[in-house]
Amino acid sequence: MRGHGGAPRRGSRDPGGEGGRGGDDAGLIADAQRVEHYEIAAYGSAIALAAVLGHNRIADLLGDTIAEEIATDQKLSLIAERQVNPQAAALSGSDHA
């Protein structure tokens, strides 16, 4: 099954199921970051091509967009590291929580 822009898409999850279990939330964040990484790679390639073709204005605009994608990825990492992953570890009974 293909998802956003042709990227492989993982199986669906029910975010409303059983009160937001930590493992489900961690999986959703991992999926969202996978999409962000795919977009960052695509924008990076587009920026390189625009620059080679001398389309500096387009490269600059794409640079703004890639910066937004990177910021989103960083926010997702913070949420995972500070909240979701520790909750998932606690729910799994891991000693590393």
Side-chain angles (χ1 to χ4, degrees):
M1 190 177 246
R2 293 283 175 186
H4 185 321
R9 190 172 82 186
R10 295 188 61 196
S12 63
R13 290 187 177 85
D14 178 13
E18 296 188 34
R21 296 183 314 227
D24 289 343
D25 292 344
L28 289 170
I29 287 179
D31 287 346
Q33 284 192 289
R34 213 171 273 105
V35 170
E36 292 304 322
H37 296 172
Y38 179 83
E39 291 174 342
I40 290 166
Y43 284 120
S45 295
I47 290 167
L49 182 58
V52 166
L53 295 174
H55 298 295
N56 296 328
R57 175 75 177 128
I58 293 171
D60 289 345
L61 290 171
L62 290 170
D64 293 341
T65 304
I66 201 171
E68 292 172 9
E69 299 297 341
I70 291 168
T72 299
D73 180 55
Q74 291 171 342
K75 288 175 189 174
L76 288 167
S77 288
L78 285 175
I79 293 167
E81 292 167 2
R82 293 182 181 172
Q83 297 173 336
V84 175
N85 292 348
Q87 290 171 354
L91 289 173
S92 74
S94 173
D95 294 337
H96 303 288

